[in-house]
Amino acid sequence: MAPVAVTETPTPSLQPKIQQAATPLQKDDTYENYEGSYKFAPITEAEVSRAMIKRYFNTMYDRVISDVVIIGAGSAGLSCAYKLGSTRPDLKITIIEANVAPGGGAWLGGQLMTPMVIRKPADRFLRELGVEYEDEGHYVVVKHAALFTSTLLSKTLALPNVVLMNATAVEDLIIHADPKSQGQRVGGVVTNWTLVALNHDTQSCMDPNTITAPVIISATGHDGPMGAFSAKRLVSAGLLKELGNMRGLDMNRAEPAIVNGTREVAPGLIMTGMELSEHDGSNRMGPTFGAMIASGVKAAYEAIRIWDSSEIVAGRIVA
């Protein structure tokens, strides 16, 4: 018997059904009524899935090469993203956040209390965002930390050049030979879904993905489950001799140390926020957020300085 030819295309009898499943239902009139007659526009489950998948993976495809990657969407990371994104709309800024909810510890003040204390002159940033506060002289108080965080988050994500990938963990740093010196240079991040990253010990190998960028800004906070990630990785990668380890709480020493210490700690890697306390061995500051804002703003300016002074090809600094 002669071999039977196998085709990979659907048979004619199945083709109409496949096409029909992909087309939206006939549109009916909607009706906004809150007395029992509210009517939504019709939709298929396939439309919902395709609307998300197409946009998300198009974004992933585009941001495989980014201009700046920010690790961590806490108060420092978001302040940096907002200042950088609004100052330089030409740069593609990608934020990677391990948690489902961005914002880090900035949804509350101290000891689960809601008011947020911000020392001057960081109150200027609140006026830029349009966040109201009570002026107490040397400091201001926002009535609820979530008001600051939600406003900053919404204004940051409204910028067309900023993308946030939450529930995504940075598992490692990409490190190449530095064309500017004889040393090493951070040139990107290694990413995975956070739920995958948390279960490497319970499953077989689940390889990660990568994002290439000439400038990485690390804002992962002080030591914790995923805190101080880049600082600790610099040590294990041989780019830093040892951690400075965070010192005890002293607000008057801690806040200026964090802001003034915000810098490129290794070629290609800027560090901002409380992660610097672990890197440098500076004091912790507790529930006051002015340094987080100002450190994030300074990190944005540092990123612009590196970008404008470098020759960049395909997301890599070449000279």
Side-chain angles (χ1 to χ4, degrees), residues 21-98:
T23 56
L25 298 174
Q26 184 177 353
K27 184 177 180 180
D28 295 331
D29 291 335
T30 60
Y31 187 42
E32 185 177 10
N33 175 279
Y34 296 97
E35 297 180 355
S37 300
Y38 197 103
K39 186 177 183 182
F40 284 100
I43 196 169
T44 66
E45 288 78 6
E47 287 179 276
V48 174
S49 293
R50 284 178 170 169
M52 293 185 296
I53 292 168
K54 177 175 69 175
R55 287 164 176 81
Y56 191 86
F57 284 100
N58 282 347
T59 298
M60 284 190 71
Y61 184 89
D62 176 62
R63 294 307 176 105
V64 163
I65 298 178
S66 297
D67 294 326
V68 179
V69 169
I70 299 174
I71 311 172
S75 50
L78 288 175
S79 297
C80 177
Y82 174 78
K83 179 57 69 173
L84 183 57
S86 56
T87 304
R88 289 294 296 269
D90 57 309
L91 298 181
K92 295 196 299 185
I93 301 157
T94 303
I95 310 170
I96 307 296
E97 169 55 48

Side-chain angles (χ1 to χ4, degrees), residues 114-120 122-124 126-127 130-145 147-148:
T114 56
M116 172 179 273
V117 176
I118 295 173
R119 293 167 67 191
K120 294 181 177 180
D123 57 314
R124 296 175 183 176
L126 298 179
R127 292 192 291 277
V131 175
E132 294 185 356
Y133 56 80
E134 296 178 49
D135 194 325
E136 295 289 350
H138 297 305
Y139 63 93
V140 301
V141 182
V142 180
K143 69 177 182 180
H144 200 301
L147 174 61
F148 165 77

Side-chain angles (χ1 to χ4, degrees), residues 118-180:
I118 295 173
R119 293 167 67 191
K120 294 181 177 180
D123 57 314
R124 296 175 183 176
F125 192 73
L126 298 179
R127 292 192 291 277
E128 183 177 344
L129 293 177
V131 175
E132 294 185 356
Y133 56 80
E134 296 178 49
D135 194 325
E136 295 289 350
H138 297 305
Y139 63 93
V140 301
V141 182
V142 180
K143 69 177 182 180
H144 200 301
L147 174 61
F148 165 77
T149 305
S150 60
T151 303
L152 175 58
L153 182 61
S154 64
K155 287 184 177 289
T156 300
L157 293 183
L159 296 171
N161 57 329
V162 175
V163 163
L164 168 67
M165 295 179 180
N166 50 323
T168 304
V170 171
E171 292 191 334
D172 203 352
L173 301 173
I174 298 174
I175 301 175
H176 295 298
D178 186 4
K180 291 184 175 183

Side-chain angles (χ1 to χ4, degrees), residues 207-223:
D207 282 334
N209 206 344
T210 64
I211 300 176
T212 297
V215 181
I216 307 300
I217 301 173
S218 191
T220 67
H222 55 68
D223 196 14

Side-chain angles (χ1 to χ4, degrees), residues 172-175 184-186 218 228-243 264-271 275 279:
D172 203 352
L173 301 173
I174 298 174
I175 301 175
Q184 303 293 306
R185 183 175 196 88
V186 176
S218 191
F229 170 81
S230 296
K232 290 184 285 189
R233 187 65 181 103
L234 289 178
V235 174
S236 61
L239 274 69
L240 179 66
K241 183 179 179 180
E242 60 185 2
L243 288 178
E264 188 180 21
V265 297
L269 179 68
I270 297 168
M271 195 167 287
E275 187 170 6
H279 184 280

